[in-house]
Amino acid sequence: GAVQFAGQGQLLMPTGGAPPVVTLDTTVKAQQISTLLQQLPESQLPPELVAWLKESFLSGALTEGRVQLQGPIDQFPFQQGEGTFVADLRVRDLYMHYAEAWPIISHSQARIHFNKDAMTAVLEEGKLDGHPIHNIEVSSESLLNGVLNIRGQLVSESPKLLRSLENTPLSGRVKQLNSVIAMEGYALLDLEVLVPMDGQPIKVEGRVELHDNKLSIKELGLDLGQVEGNVEFTDEGVTIEGIRGKMLG
């Protein structure tokens, strides 16, 4: 489980009480990415960010990585340009818990890029609550004081997608919708979750795009076929927009 480094580094100790200056250019591998996160200079980072990184990247093998670092260590990660911090990581079989009360991303192959305090992670393959991932990107212009943006798409059976939304903070509203209607067919889930790094409430918006579905309105005993339209949702509610279909006999 150890982290393997291979490269060059230098630590300069200036006179006059100035902070140490580090220069590092190394490749890195680890059986578990969580082991690498234990090497973070936690004293230089907000505790909320350290906690999020450790709680989010649950497991995964760091198969390939490169880290470049140059600057006064007390200014890491050099948000104001005091130095350079760039890291490119490839992780296999990543399990990621990006936000409280949302389903875990599992079995994903990820490319993660850090540039100073910014991060972009592109998650390929894998699953979200059992649904195959089409493409998910996790990004932030500033992990120190910004917002984490999780955006992606999934294709699965309509009723399964709606049931998955019952396992989120949208549970109450989605359960109410599922008690009124039933669907058959496939749909595309387009999801965006915004996670403020300062602990403010999470915001979410997205839609389930229905394509050639069957929809039943339970109380009315009404069945529609060839249904097209969107089930749209935010952290404030769930609505049905632009539903079109043909009445079935």
Side-chain angles (χ1 to χ4, degrees):
V3 181
Q4 302 174 22
F5 293 99
Q8 298 180 342
Q10 180 182 21
L11 183 65
L12 177 63
M13 304 294 291
T15 59
V21 176
V22 64
T23 300
L24 180 68
D25 189 347
T26 182
T27 60
V28 58
K29 293 182 180 181
Q31 291 181 357
Q32 284 295 335
I33 190 172
S34 55
T35 309
L36 177 63
L37 294 175
Q38 294 173 8
Q39 312 298 318
L40 289 172
E42 296 186 13
S43 62
Q44 301 302 124
L45 300 171
E48 297 86 357
L49 173 58
V50 173
W52 180 83
L53 288 169
K54 291 184 175 182
E55 292 169 3
S56 295
F57 293 97
L58 299 176
S59 65
L62 176 57
T63 58
E64 181 182 352
R66 184 181 181 187
V67 178
Q68 296 171 289
L69 179 65
Q70 196 283 321
I73 194 63
D74 69 330
Q75 298 299 313
F76 179 85
F78 316 121
Q79 182 183 19
Q80 303 301 325
E82 306 92 341
T84 300
F85 169 57
V86 177
D88 289 286
L89 312 174
R90 287 186 175 271
V91 183
R92 184 184 71 243
D93 201 22
L94 175 67
Y95 280 61
M96 187 174 184
H97 185 206
Y98 50 91
E100 188 66 31
W102 284 85
I104 291 173
I105 296 170
S106 63
H107 302 295
S108 181
Q109 319 309 312
R111 293 181 285 113
I112 306 171
H113 176 74
F114 292 91
N115 186 351
K116 297 184 175 66
D117 59 328
M119 183 197 78
T120 301
V122 178
L123 279 56
E124 302 163 343
E125 304 177 17
K127 293 185 176 182
L128 178 64
D129 202 30
H131 305 293
I133 291 173
H134 181 59
N135 188 27
I136 288 183
E137 182 174 289
V138 182
S139 63
S140 177
E141 294 183 359
S142 175
L143 288 171
L144 295 181
N145 51 28
V147 173
L148 190 74
N149 186 313
I150 301 103
R151 179 149 199 176
Q153 294 181 330
L154 313 171
V155 176
S156 189
E157 296 175 46
S158 304
K160 289 184 178 179
L161 285 177
L162 288 176
R163 280 199 299 272
S164 287
L165 290 175
E166 292 186 3
N167 300 324
T168 74
L170 300 171
S171 173
R173 302 177 184 92
V174 176
K175 284 182 177 179
Q176 186 177 24
L177 177 67
N178 285 339
S179 71
V180 175
I181 65 172
M183 289 189 240
E184 295 178 22
Y186 281 81
L188 169 73
L189 172 63
D190 193 343
L191 177 67
E192 183 173 20
V193 181
L194 302 177
V195 184
M197 299 308 293
D198 61 1
Q200 294 296 311
I202 293 172
K203 294 185 177 181
V204 59
E205 63 180 37
R207 63 183 181 274
V208 176
E209 297 181 3
L210 306 175
H211 299 284
D212 195 22
N213 273 232
K214 177 184 174 182
L215 185 149
S216 301
I217 303 175
K218 299 176 182 179
E219 291 292 327
L220 300 180
L222 179 64
D223 295 327
L224 300 175
Q226 300 179 25
V227 172
E228 308 280 335
N230 297 330
V231 178
E232 300 191 357
F233 54 88
T234 69
D235 45 304
E236 297 181 350
V238 178
T239 58
I240 298 179
E241 296 286 342
I243 292 292
R244 304 180 304 279
K246 294 184 177 180
M247 189 174 298
L248 300 178

